[in-house]
Amino acid sequence: GVPPQDAHAPGVRTDPAEAAAYVAETGVDALAVAVGSSHAMTDRTAALDHGLIARLREAVPVPLVLHGSSGVPDEQIRRAVAAGMVKINVGTALNTAFTGEVRAHLAEHAAVVDPRKYLRPAREAMARTVAHFLSLLHAPA
């Protein structure tokens, strides 16, 4: 009977004590936590709770996973990694780059029917996005 809460609302974020109990009871190898991002974000507007990330890192002995990282600005991702996130999921950013390039190519070349003509630039756009995130994640915080 309660409407779903927004994934960005502080009240729906992961509680460190509950996370520690969950990890202890289940033996999971990694834990995806709710700290201000959500799946399938296409706008990079998420504001992460970096204090919560640090508290979660202290509370659980397993790697932390950040879902919805495609919606997180670069500096926020850097800070999340510095605070303890070790797995950063950016699938939506890759899909957006790929699909955006296919759309742009077909809009400019409406008569194209050979997928090789638009899949190559789409793969290249995705590769640029991968390179961006790799450089972001390996840069000093």
Side-chain angles (χ1 to χ4, degrees):
V2 176
Q5 290 185 310
D6 185 308
H8 306 289
V12 298
R13 297 189 178 164
T14 303
D15 176 85
E18 289 178 6
Y22 181 81
V23 169
E25 290 175 23
T26 63
V28 296
D29 295 323
L31 185 67
V33 293
V35 293
S37 59
S38 59
H39 285 283
M41 292 184 71
T42 56
D43 293 322
R44 300 191 72 198
T45 57
L48 301 181
D49 184 335
H50 297 283
L52 177 57
I53 295 169
R55 291 190 305 279
L56 288 162
R57 176 70 273 139
E58 292 173 8
V60 301
V62 297
L64 298 177
V65 177
L66 183 61
H67 286 287
S69 305
S70 297
V72 180
D74 288 354
E75 186 53 37
Q76 295 262 331
I77 290 175
R78 282 190 187 107
R79 287 183 61 199
V81 170
M85 285 291 170
V86 299
K87 183 173 185 289
I88 307 299
N89 294 337
V90 293
T92 298
L94 303 181
N95 294 341
T96 300
F98 186 93
T99 304
E101 188 62 35
V102 169
R103 286 186 176 130
H105 189 88
L106 292 175
E108 189 174 329
H109 309 281
V112 169
V113 295
D114 183 350
R116 294 172 293 183
K117 301 290 186 186
Y118 54 84
L119 291 180
R120 179 183 311 244
R123 285 191 305 268
E124 290 168 355
M126 184 183 283
R128 287 190 301 273
T129 303
V130 168
H132 169 75
F133 279 105
L134 287 174
S135 68
L136 172 68
L137 296 174
H138 291 289

